[in-house]
Amino acid sequence: MRPALDLQLKATVNLRRLSDGRHVSFPVKRRNYNLLCCDTQTPRLLVVLDLPSGREEWMTLTADELILRRRAYWLYLGGREETEQTSVTVRIPTTNLFDLEGLTELMDQSRQGRIR
């Protein structure tokens, strides 16, 4: 089976780090949250990019590379109940890094038919 992921990408300069030091929190609008909660054949992930506060620091783009500053985190919401609230603030473990290692692991999990 070929692995696949659907991603909902968000970026913010205001990512809130929780006092436990192991999570960040991010508000997700109801429509987006409910779409992410649906069980689908291709897993849907929320990916939140934590940007520096200065716009000029966000990225560097050349003909050979795209460099985004800081980190991105992912969260799988599949199987959760939909909401009627205007938005839901989700807690994302800081161990869920959306980097090369994390993406490789996610693709392996997708190939096996499960995302943790």
Side-chain angles (χ1 to χ4, degrees):
M1 174 193 292
R2 289 186 178 191
L5 297 171
D6 284 338
L7 304 177
Q8 185 172 120
L9 304 172
K10 301 291 184 183
T12 183
V13 297
N14 297 313
L15 192 62
R16 186 168 159 245
R17 298 183 192 293
L18 299 181
S19 60
D20 68 5
R22 297 177 301 164
H23 294 86
V24 294
S25 67
F26 185 76
V28 181
K29 291 180 183 174
R30 175 181 51 215
R31 180 181 180 281
N32 296 333
Y33 181 85
N34 289 343
L35 287 171
L36 289 164
C37 288
C38 295
D39 283 325
T40 57
Q41 187 171 6
T42 301
R44 294 178 179 168
L45 300 176
L46 172 65
V47 177
V48 179
L49 177 60
D50 180 21
L51 293 171
S53 58
R55 182 176 237 175
E56 65 284 347
E57 299 174 62
W58 290 358
M59 70 175 159
T60 302
L61 176 64
T62 69
D64 296 320
E65 58 191 5
L66 168 63
I67 300 171
L68 298 173
R69 300 297 188 291
R70 309 253 320 240
R71 293 183 166 186
Y73 303 95
W74 64 269
L75 185 63
Y76 177 64
L77 296 168
R80 294 190 188 186
E81 294 209 18
E82 292 186 6
T83 187
E84 292 298 318
Q85 296 176 286
T86 304
S87 69
V88 175
T89 299
V90 296
R91 292 168 38 108
I92 306 171
T94 55
T95 55
N96 286 9
L97 284 175
F98 193 76
D99 57 7
L100 181 58
E101 183 179 327
L103 181 57
T104 300
E105 177 62 26
L106 286 166
M107 294 305 276
D108 287 343
Q109 289 179 28
S110 174
R111 184 179 295 111
Q112 296 168 20
R114 61 172 175 69
I115 297 286
R116 293 180 272 136

